Amino acid sequence: MTSTVPAPGTLPRVLGSARAGKTPTAQDSALQAVLLDMDGTLVDTEGFWWDVEVEVFAALGHTLDESWRHVVVGGPMSRSAGFLIEATGADISLAELTVLLNKGFEDRIDHSLPLMPGAARLLAELHQHEIPTALVSASHRRIIDRVLASLGPHHFALTVAGDEVPRTKPHPDPYLTAAAGLGVDPAGCAVVEDTVTGVAAAEAAGCHVVAVPSVAPIAPAARRTVVSSLEEVDLAFLRGLMTQMR
């Protein structure tokens, strides 16, 4: 798939320690960049979002069905919040609910922000070997910036937030935006994702995907490798994956 240039006003946040545009060597020429999801992939926060949703709707007098958790996981706030409003019939606007959910989530990550097993080691390895790396999330910019303080902004050449692209996951826009910002071909990018929604976005952009399921299962497919934990993923694994799929 051919990459598209992001529309004006949709460029990602470029960080000060960026290594974007690094010329690949013979050793890593197949792997041009690594693009990483945030919630449920690097930080163990998918449960945080559901807990906040349950609490907010309880205050509104509604009980959320546990089966809805698979519907809302991994998607943009507008989709998940909109679904819950429609499903419960709650008397609240999407804008009002978005504020409540973001506030509840921020309160939780201020107290605890556990990393997924293997996340810190993988980020450190990519940084050490100067692999262009981007954080690509459906979360809003205000949330990403809070989480970056714990992940280490120096690990990322740029970040893309869900409220900074015309269409967020499952559309390809976030990953096309990240690839364009790094100056690489999406086909040369390895994406690490934990949800079906994120996987769909990465594959629609033409990237190779490593799926690490968090809440709902993800089946293997062409250009997609499924692992049980980030502890199975390192630079050698990603380079080998890209070489095999060329």
Side-chain angles (χ1 to χ4, degrees):
M1 181 173 184
T2 302
S3 174
T4 58
V5 178
T10 65
L11 291 178
R13 178 77 61 85
V14 179
L15 305 182
S17 60
R19 292 186 174 93
K22 171 181 174 285
T23 302
T25 65
Q27 182 184 21
D28 64 6
S29 58
L31 178 65
Q32 297 179 31
V34 178
L35 315 179
L36 298 147
D37 174 55
M38 187 176 76
D39 293 302
T41 298
L42 293 177
V43 289
D44 191 8
T45 51
E46 288 292 7
F48 285 14
W49 282 113
W50 178 249
D51 291 343
V52 170
E53 288 160 349
V54 169
E55 288 184 7
V56 167
F57 276 90
L60 295 171
H62 298 276
T63 300
L64 300 189
D65 191 306
E66 182 70 23
S67 66
W68 296 343
R69 184 172 183 174
H70 288 185
V71 178
V72 301
V73 67
M77 177 76 73
S78 58
R79 190 199 72 183
S80 57
F83 168 83
L84 292 174
I85 290 173
E86 183 177 353
T88 60
D91 184 18
I92 188 171
S93 70
L94 181 59
E96 292 170 329
L97 181 57
T98 297
V99 170
L100 293 177
L101 293 178
N102 275 328
K103 177 61 168 60
F105 185 79
E106 288 173 5
D107 289 344
R108 274 171 167 73
I109 63 176
D110 282 344
H111 292 90
S112 174
L113 186 59
L115 300 188
M116 298 298 290
R121 186 262 316 145
L122 177 60
L123 289 175
E125 184 180 18
L126 295 174
H127 182 71
Q128 177 185 358
H129 290 272
E130 300 188 353
I131 304 299
T133 303
L135 185 66
V136 183
S137 176
S139 291
H140 289 186
R141 169 55 58 189
R142 58 185 286 187
I143 297 295
I144 287 182
D145 286 346
R146 298 283 279 272
V147 174
L148 273 174
S150 295
L151 288 176
H154 63 284
H155 287 127
F156 305 98
L158 58 84
T159 61
V160 179
D163 56 343
E164 296 174 339
V165 290
R167 301 178 303 172
T168 189
K169 304 172 186 180
H171 299 287
D173 304 39
Y175 285 111
L176 292 176
T177 298
L182 291 174
V184 298
D185 185 345
C189 296
V191 169
V192 185
E193 272 280 0
D194 73 303
T195 67
V196 172
T197 300
V199 167
E203 291 180 343
C207 304
H208 298 270
V209 178
V210 177
V212 191
S214 59
V215 175
I218 300 174
R223 298 174 66 87
R224 181 195 311 167
T225 301
V226 180
V227 298
S228 60
S229 167
L230 281 183
E231 293 182 317
E232 299 178 43
V233 182
D234 58 15
L235 183 52
F237 175 91
L238 294 173
R239 283 174 170 161
L241 180 71
M242 299 297 290
T243 300
Q244 292 170 12
M245 294 186 176
R246 292 182 75 180

